[in-house]
Amino acid sequence: MTSNELRQKYLDFFKSKGHKEIPSASLVPENDPTTLFTSSGMQQLIPYLKGQAHPEGKRLTDSQPCFRSQDIEEVGDNRHTTFFEMLGNWSLGDYFKKDQLTWFWEFLTQELKLDPDKLYVSYFEGDDQIPEDTETKNIWQELGIPENHIYAYGTKKNWWSRSGTPEEMPAGEIGGPDSEVFYEFTQIEHDPKYGEKCHPNCECGRFLEIGNSVFIQYEKQENGTFKELPQKNVDFGGGLERITAVSVNEPDIFKIDLFWPIIGKIEELSKKNYSDPNEQNPMRIIADHIKAAFFLIESGVQPSNKLQGYILRRLLRRVMVKLNLYTKDQRPFLGELIDAVAEIYRATSYFPEQGEELVKQVVWEELAKFERALAQGLKEIEKIENITGKLAFDLFQTYGFPLELTEELAKEKGLEIDREEFRQEFEKHKELSRTASAGMFKGGLGEQSEVTTKYHTATHLLHAALRKVLGEHVQQKGSNITAERLRFDFSQPEKVSEEQLKEVENLVNEQIQKDLPVTSEVMDKEDALKSGALGFFTEKYGDKVTVYTIGDFSKEICGGPHVNNTKELGNFKIIKEESAGAGVRRIYAALS
Ligand code: SER
């Protein structure tokens, strides 16, 4: 079965169980300042898991492209990737553990015809706050899974929230106990390096996790305890690439159809063989990173030294350093890899409109910058007599030189690098970036989301005000919200004058002062558009949409959430107006 067929089979299966298919979210979340990337299918559903009504109902399914930057260092083995597609199904306060586990089991054993003897399951053993999940254990037993295929684990393995264990969760975050299914590759011998006995969560590669049913029923409170959510939810996620791999009993996910054409291209152009164990690691890194970079660029990310842009830069530079070992003229090589990625995904529903040309443009610019950095880095190495672990780390940091490259260059000078010193520097740096990303959660999610909700409503007012002042040609092109400000891109051929900006600002403030109620209504998409509701991302909507109305000033299709009354917004101020490309202007504004 191809992965395209498998994806469809999964969606059809859950549709036959009463689920509605929803469109996937962008890889870079627009209105969620707490995270850089969409890293699981549940992310776009957080307000609905917390109790808001979803326009498509209580049973949803989709396939969500995801990016996990924390896995960058893991890429290179047979199963880790930064970019992957997550098959998902959700119950928003509808069915619970029994149906979820039964259906997933049915999907694996009857639809995919996996051998039940190769499947193992896990459940939550409990901790001092949350009891052991015996309900899940009983359900697995009733489904006929033998005792020696059922494992209990603690919070590190069988508790799921976006931040990890219950202790790691900030106030306002939701999560719960989970149950995973694993596939056993009997052709792989356990490696005692990973412990005496093998088990589903062992890292030796014999077992592969292929699906996770999370029972999201808790929200963490300010005082550190857990509150039951108003509804019991199921959040299931399973990696399409991994499930495809086990469906053909293939332990190496780079050999499935979503990767193999890229690896094939690398083999062809480098004239090296993937079957050579020394080539596998670089080829896997190149294949994963170029694919991830492709989708990040399509989601609007540009290489930079900040946030998403920095991650993209790291991916691209790592690819370029690895490619440097194969060729000194990278552009044609990279061009063919980008084409290979586009070919694989062209038929999917989320293949970007812009296609591969945009990606190439961004990659060529970064390549030119990197080639300059590479030349400088090499000069740096030339000057130095002794390459210490610290210097190797600096080269890594400044020029994006991975240790292996510096080692190769050092070897040419007959030098050896102190790997332990490099590792220590690396750990120090990791700690720093962990602290930096933890900083993004400062204030707790509860507080963050209150502020972003206000900005969300202010964005609607701004949109409507711009159309009233400048004309109906104004259409939203994009938006982004942080806890400090909103950013709004819209179609408009020329600069907006000082007077016009003032007029827009006043108009928004007048609406705020009018104490206008904000109401919502679920409608068929066609009816919503006919009724005059604004909505310029029609391909992203499902058949049913929520329309938010603010007095008689604004009416717009949106997922929410919003404040209940405009008086909650305070004072609105436009900070800056600038160009955001041909025919597109950008406004920054803040509330105080
Ligand atoms: N949110 C869970 C995960 O990412 C299941 O979808 O594993």
Side-chain angles (χ1 to χ4, degrees):
M1 201 182 318
T2 66
S3 45
N4 280 341
E5 286 163 353
L6 202 151
R7 181 196 298 112
Q8 199 53 50
K9 215 177 184 43
Y10 174 84
L11 295 171
D12 288 344
F13 179 80
F14 277 94
K15 282 194 244 176
S16 79
K17 308 283 183 205
H19 291 64
K20 279 285 179 56
E21 184 180 345
I22 55 167
S24 56
S26 162
L27 214 44
V28 179
E30 286 195 339
N31 296 319
D32 184 352
T34 59
T35 179
L36 295 181
F37 301 103
T38 293
S39 61
S40 72
M42 61 78 81
Q43 213 158 294
Q44 64 162 326
L45 296 173
I46 293 173
Y48 310 104
L49 292 162
K50 284 185 168 180
Q52 195 184 313
H54 192 283
E56 296 282 2
K58 294 182 170 181
R59 297 183 180 196
L60 308 174
T61 184
D62 77 2
S63 180
Q64 173 69 53
C66 293
F67 179 77
R68 291 193 172 171
S69 59
Q70 64 273 32
D71 284 344
I72 291 183
E73 301 302 329
E74 309 276 345
V75 180
D77 66 11
N78 63 355
R79 60 193 183 284
H80 281 95
T81 60
T82 56
F83 174 87
F84 65 100
E85 224 176 290
M86 188 183 279
L87 301 172
N89 65 272
W90 293 272
S91 158
L92 304 172
D94 189 11
Y95 62 85
F96 205 41
K97 298 180 182 175
K98 174 101 188 183
D99 283 330
Q100 170 56 26
L101 301 176
T102 308
W103 288 338
F104 187 47
W105 187 255
E106 183 184 330
F107 178 71
L108 294 176
T109 56
Q110 288 173 33
E111 297 288 319
L112 302 187
K113 309 228 175 329
L114 295 185
D115 177 358
D117 288 346
K118 293 193 170 179
L119 298 176
Y120 289 69
V121 299
S122 67
Y123 71 97
F124 182 50
E125 69 181 10
D127 72 351
D128 43 5
Q129 283 205 65
I130 318 278
E132 179 185 358
D133 189 1
T134 47
E135 193 184 342
T136 290
K137 182 182 182 190
N138 292 339
I139 296 167
W140 285 128
Q141 282 173 335
E142 282 161 25
L143 285 167
I145 293 141
E147 199 73 32
N148 63 352
H149 281 218
I150 305 179
Y151 283 72
Y153 293 97
T155 52
K156 277 207 161 33
K157 296 291 177 196
N158 277 97
W159 174 274
W160 198 89
S161 82
R162 284 202 298 170
S163 314
T165 62
E167 294 74 46
E168 287 161 341
M169 287 168 69
E173 189 162 276
I174 53 175
D178 67 18
S179 177
E180 297 188 310
V181 176
F182 300 82
Y183 182 88
E184 184 182 24
F185 290 107
T186 47
Q187 66 269 46
I188 294 190
E189 288 294 325
H190 170 63
D191 182 345
K193 174 170 112 194
Y194 295 95
E196 203 180 310
K197 255 188 99 189
C198 199
H199 61 102
N201 272 311
C202 174
E203 291 292 318
C204 74
R206 186 173 166 96
F207 285 94
L208 185 67
E209 186 255 302
I210 54 171
N212 187 8
S213 299
V214 188
F215 304 113
I216 297 194
Q217 62 187 102
Y218 299 106
E219 179 171 347
K220 187 152 177 186
Q221 302 188 94
E222 292 294 342
N223 67 9
T225 62
F226 285 88
K227 175 177 93 185
E228 287 264 355
L229 287 166
Q231 62 191 34
K232 292 187 168 155
N233 307 291
V234 174
D235 158 36
F236 170 81
L240 172 65
E241 294 79 354
R242 288 182 172 200
I243 300 179
T244 306
V246 304
S247 75
V248 288
N249 196 29
E250 172 56 72
D252 182 354
I253 67 168
F254 290 89
K255 289 212 172 138
I256 68 157
D257 56 2
L258 294 176
F259 277 107
W260 192 245
I262 316 175
I263 301 276
K265 246 310 146 225
I266 305 173
E267 281 192 311
E268 180 194 319
L269 297 173
S270 67
K271 305 195 176 58
K272 304 266 189 207
N273 282 323
Y274 183 70
S275 55
D276 176 347
N278 291 329
E279 300 302 333
Q280 280 184 356
N281 180 283
M283 286 191 187
R284 287 168 175 167
I285 291 174
I286 293 170
D288 170 75
H289 287 12
I290 194 74
K291 188 199 277 194
F294 184 102
F295 284 103
L296 289 180
I297 294 169
E298 293 289 358
S299 308
V301 183
Q302 293 278 337
S304 75
N305 289 330
K306 271 200 336 211
L307 306 172
Q308 287 98 340
Y310 176 65
I311 302 288
L312 173 61
R313 171 159 284 166
R314 265 181 74 191
L315 293 174
L316 285 174
R317 293 206 168 184
R318 201 147 174 239
V319 167
M320 289 163 188
V321 167
K322 298 279 174 208
L323 275 189
N324 202 51
L325 303 172
Y326 294 140
T327 175
K328 300 292 165 235
D329 183 15
Q330 295 202 9
R331 199 165 147 149
F333 201 133
L334 276 166
E336 293 217 32
L337 296 186
I338 293 166
D339 289 339
V341 177
E343 269 337 295
I344 296 173
Y345 287 96
R346 207 178 296 285
T348 62
S349 64
Y350 57 85
F351 187 76
E353 261 170 50
Q354 315 202 62
E356 49 272 45
E357 289 318 310
L358 170 75
V359 178
K360 285 184 186 168
Q361 212 180 313
V362 173
V363 172
W364 302 158
E365 272 178 38
E366 186 62 12
L367 179 63
K369 285 192 189 133
F370 179 66
E371 281 173 339
R372 284 197 293 274
L374 189 68
Q376 275 166 3
L378 291 177
K379 251 195 248 151
E380 200 87 8
I381 291 181
E382 278 311 304
K383 284 195 297 222
I384 292 159
E385 290 302 310
N386 182 17
I387 306 177
T388 60
K390 166 122 181 35
L391 177 72
F393 183 76
D394 288 344
L395 288 167
F396 169 76
Q397 272 285 84
T398 319
Y399 303 115
F401 277 32
L403 178 62
E404 305 82 59
L405 179 81
T406 311
E407 267 180 341
E408 280 214 12
L409 299 167
K411 223 198 259 156
E412 285 171 18
K413 298 179 81 177
L415 298 170
E416 214 178 302
I417 292 169
D418 183 344
R419 282 199 146 219
E420 182 50 28
E421 194 180 303
F422 179 90
R423 202 190 57 76
Q424 281 168 10
E425 289 295 320
F426 190 81
E427 287 302 320
K428 240 192 266 166
H429 174 78
K430 242 189 12 211
E431 196 47 50
L432 281 177
S433 32
R434 214 171 325 183
T435 323
S437 64
M440 290 184 72
F441 290 102
K442 254 202 318 258
L445 288 179
E447 193 185 305
Q448 286 260 16
S449 61
E450 214 175 286
V451 181
T452 51
T453 303
K454 287 185 189 171
Y455 274 115
H456 217 131
T457 308
T459 303
H460 283 214
L461 291 176
L462 173 63
H463 193 184
L466 284 166
R467 287 170 62 92
K468 292 196 166 66
V469 173
L470 302 176
E472 305 238 316
H473 62 273
V474 168
Q475 292 193 356
Q476 172 166 1
K477 289 288 169 209
S479 93
N480 172 278
I481 288 171
T482 71
E484 282 80 39
R485 53 104 185 115
L486 68 83
R487 192 181 78 200
F488 187 74
D489 294 348
F490 56 101
S491 45
Q492 154 78 0
E494 71 255 7
K495 192 171 166 51
V496 188
S497 71
E498 283 298 323
E499 297 75 47
Q500 287 169 323
L501 287 176
K502 200 72 220 156
E503 207 181 320
V504 169
E505 190 178 283
N506 290 342
L507 200 51
V508 171
N509 280 321
E510 273 166 31
Q511 309 315 309
I512 294 176
Q513 278 146 25
K514 278 191 204 157
D515 295 358
L516 297 175
V518 183
T519 54
S520 69
E521 187 189 352
V522 173
M523 295 171 88
D524 283 336
K525 178 166 74 180
E526 296 312 318
D527 293 342
L529 292 170
K530 256 188 249 148
S531 81
L534 299 183
F536 300 118
F537 301 98
T538 38
E539 73 287 356
K540 282 199 194 167
Y541 307 137
D543 295 337
K544 293 234 181 257
V545 295
T546 310
V547 174
Y548 278 89
T549 305
I550 310 178
D552 56 8
F553 188 74
S554 147
K555 191 169 183 185
E556 198 169 323
I557 296 176
C558 173
H562 285 276
V563 300
N564 294 321
N565 190 296
T566 55
K567 71 171 175 241
E568 294 170 45
L569 301 185
N571 186 50
F572 175 85
K573 188 161 179 44
I574 293 179
I575 308 165
K576 192 168 154 192
E577 191 269 352
E578 64 187 20
S579 164
V584 180
R585 305 298 299 181
R586 170 171 287 181
I587 280 180
Y588 289 91
L591 293 168
S592 56

